Amino acid sequence: MSFRKTVFVLALVSASIPAAFANSGSTWVGGELGFESHPVQSSKTRAVVQKEFEAFRADPVTADGGTLVGGEAGYIRAQHSYAFQGGKLVHTDTIAHNTPKPSLVMTDVERQLFQKQYIN
Protein backbone atom coordinates (compact mmCIF):
# COMPACT_ATOMS: atom_id res chain seq x y z
CA MET A 1 0.00 0.00 0.00
CA SER A 2 1.39 3.36 -0.93
CA PHE A 3 1.88 6.23 1.46
CA ARG A 4 -0.97 8.24 -0.10
CA LYS A 5 -3.45 5.39 0.32
CA THR A 6 -2.38 4.89 3.93
CA VAL A 7 -2.85 8.58 4.74
CA PHE A 8 -6.23 8.59 2.96
CA VAL A 9 -7.46 5.53 4.88
CA LEU A 10 -6.26 6.96 8.22
CA ALA A 11 -7.99 10.30 7.48
CA LEU A 12 -11.21 8.48 6.54
CA VAL A 13 -11.13 6.35 9.70
CA SER A 14 -10.38 9.32 11.96
CA ALA A 15 -13.24 11.30 10.39
CA SER A 16 -15.70 8.46 11.02
CA ILE A 17 -14.77 7.82 14.68
CA PRO A 18 -16.86 10.71 16.16
CA ALA A 19 -19.88 9.56 14.14
CA ALA A 20 -19.49 6.01 15.47
CA PHE A 21 -19.75 7.19 19.09
CA ALA A 22 -22.32 9.96 18.55
CA ASN A 23 -25.29 7.98 19.87
CA SER A 24 -23.96 5.30 22.19
CA GLY A 25 -27.17 4.97 24.22
CA SER A 26 -25.90 7.13 27.06
CA THR A 27 -28.17 9.54 28.92
CA TRP A 28 -25.54 12.25 28.55
CA VAL A 29 -26.43 14.84 25.93
CA GLY A 30 -23.76 17.24 24.77
CA GLY A 31 -21.69 16.63 27.89
CA GLU A 32 -24.62 17.36 30.21
CA LEU A 33 -27.18 15.08 31.79
CA GLY A 34 -30.35 14.97 29.69
CA PHE A 35 -33.86 15.44 31.01
CA GLU A 36 -37.35 14.30 30.15
CA SER A 37 -40.33 16.57 29.79
CA HIS A 38 -43.77 15.45 30.96
CA PRO A 39 -47.15 17.16 30.57
CA VAL A 40 -48.46 18.74 33.75
CA GLN A 41 -52.14 19.04 34.60
CA SER A 42 -53.45 22.48 35.54
CA SER A 43 -56.62 23.61 37.25
CA LYS A 44 -56.69 26.83 35.18
CA THR A 45 -58.73 27.08 32.00
CA ARG A 46 -57.26 28.25 28.72
CA ALA A 47 -59.23 31.51 28.99
CA VAL A 48 -57.76 32.27 32.43
CA VAL A 49 -54.23 31.56 31.23
CA GLN A 50 -54.78 33.71 28.13
CA LYS A 51 -56.09 36.57 30.31
CA GLU A 52 -53.04 36.35 32.63
CA PHE A 53 -50.74 36.33 29.60
CA GLU A 54 -52.37 39.43 28.14
CA ALA A 55 -52.10 41.21 31.51
CA PHE A 56 -48.39 40.29 31.66
CA ARG A 57 -47.85 41.52 28.10
CA ALA A 58 -49.38 44.87 29.07
CA ASP A 59 -47.06 45.18 32.12
CA PRO A 60 -44.08 42.76 31.76
CA VAL A 61 -42.76 43.00 35.33
CA THR A 62 -41.65 39.74 36.95
CA ALA A 63 -42.11 38.71 40.58
CA ASP A 64 -38.61 39.89 41.51
CA GLY A 65 -39.23 43.36 40.06
CA GLY A 66 -37.32 42.88 36.83
CA THR A 67 -38.75 43.78 33.44
CA LEU A 68 -38.87 41.64 30.30
CA VAL A 69 -38.07 43.95 27.40
CA GLY A 70 -37.47 41.49 24.58
CA GLY A 71 -34.89 41.91 21.88
CA GLU A 72 -31.21 41.58 22.64
CA ALA A 73 -31.51 43.01 26.16
CA GLY A 74 -34.16 40.46 27.10
CA TYR A 75 -34.41 41.14 30.81
CA ILE A 76 -33.59 44.17 32.94
CA ARG A 77 -33.04 43.46 36.62
CA ALA A 78 -34.53 45.75 39.20
CA GLN A 79 -31.79 47.97 40.60
CA HIS A 80 -31.52 49.53 44.02
CA SER A 81 -31.59 53.29 43.96
CA TYR A 82 -30.70 55.73 46.70
CA ALA A 83 -31.02 59.46 47.22
CA PHE A 84 -30.18 61.99 49.90
CA GLN A 85 -33.34 63.29 51.54
CA GLY A 86 -33.13 65.45 54.63
CA GLY A 87 -29.40 64.77 54.95
CA LYS A 88 -29.89 60.97 55.03
CA LEU A 89 -29.36 58.31 52.40
CA VAL A 90 -32.74 56.64 51.74
CA HIS A 91 -33.97 53.97 49.35
CA THR A 92 -35.97 55.32 46.43
CA ASP A 93 -36.66 52.01 44.68
CA THR A 94 -39.65 49.69 45.00
CA ILE A 95 -37.64 46.60 45.98
CA ALA A 96 -38.55 45.13 49.37
CA HIS A 97 -35.75 45.72 51.87
CA ASN A 98 -37.24 43.75 54.74
CA THR A 99 -36.83 40.22 53.39
CA PRO A 100 -35.23 37.74 55.80
CA LYS A 101 -31.67 36.63 55.21
CA PRO A 102 -31.35 33.11 53.80
CA SER A 103 -30.56 30.38 56.29
CA LEU A 104 -27.76 27.90 55.65
CA VAL A 105 -29.05 25.50 58.29
CA MET A 106 -30.70 22.44 56.78
CA THR A 107 -33.37 20.40 58.50
CA ASP A 108 -32.95 16.62 58.70
CA VAL A 109 -35.56 16.13 55.97
CA GLU A 110 -33.81 18.61 53.64
CA ARG A 111 -30.46 16.93 54.31
CA GLN A 112 -31.89 13.49 53.51
CA LEU A 113 -33.43 14.79 50.29
CA PHE A 114 -30.14 16.40 49.30
CA GLN A 115 -28.17 13.23 50.00
CA LYS A 116 -30.71 11.11 48.16
CA GLN A 117 -30.69 13.38 45.12
CA TYR A 118 -27.03 14.35 44.80
CA ILE A 119 -24.84 11.97 46.77
CA ASN A 120 -26.36 8.53 46.26
Side-chain angles (χ1 to χ4, degrees):
M1 203 185 232
S2 72
F3 180 73
R4 283 185 175 171
K5 287 183 183 178
T6 305
V7 170
F8 177 73
V9 169
L10 288 175
L12 187 63
V13 169
S14 64
S16 64
I17 287 176
F21 293 104
N23 191 6
S24 62
S26 173
T27 58
W28 290 89
V29 179
E32 295 182 15
L33 186 61
F35 66 92
E36 293 182 18
S37 175
H38 301 285
V40 178
Q41 294 295 325
S42 175
S43 60
K44 294 183 180 182
T45 65
R46 183 175 176 84
V48 170
V49 172
Q50 202 101 28
K51 185 177 178 183
E52 288 177 355
F53 176 67
E54 292 302 325
F56 181 75
R57 293 287 302 258
D59 185 26
V61 177
T62 60
D64 63 353
T67 305
L68 294 173
V69 293
E72 222 175 279
Y75 175 76
I76 298 174
R77 292 187 320 155
Q79 298 289 320
H80 290 282
S81 61
Y82 305 93
F84 279 105
Q85 293 178 353
K88 292 184 178 181
L89 187 66
V90 295
H91 298 284
T92 58
D93 54 39
T94 58
I95 300 172
H97 295 279
N98 58 354
T99 55
K101 292 183 179 179
S103 173
L104 298 177
V105 179
M106 296 175 77
T107 65
D108 289 336
V109 174
E110 290 171 335
R111 187 173 290 107
Q112 289 172 358
L113 286 173
F114 176 79
Q115 289 174 346
K116 182 179 177 183
Q117 186 173 5
Y118 293 106
I119 296 176
N120 294 335

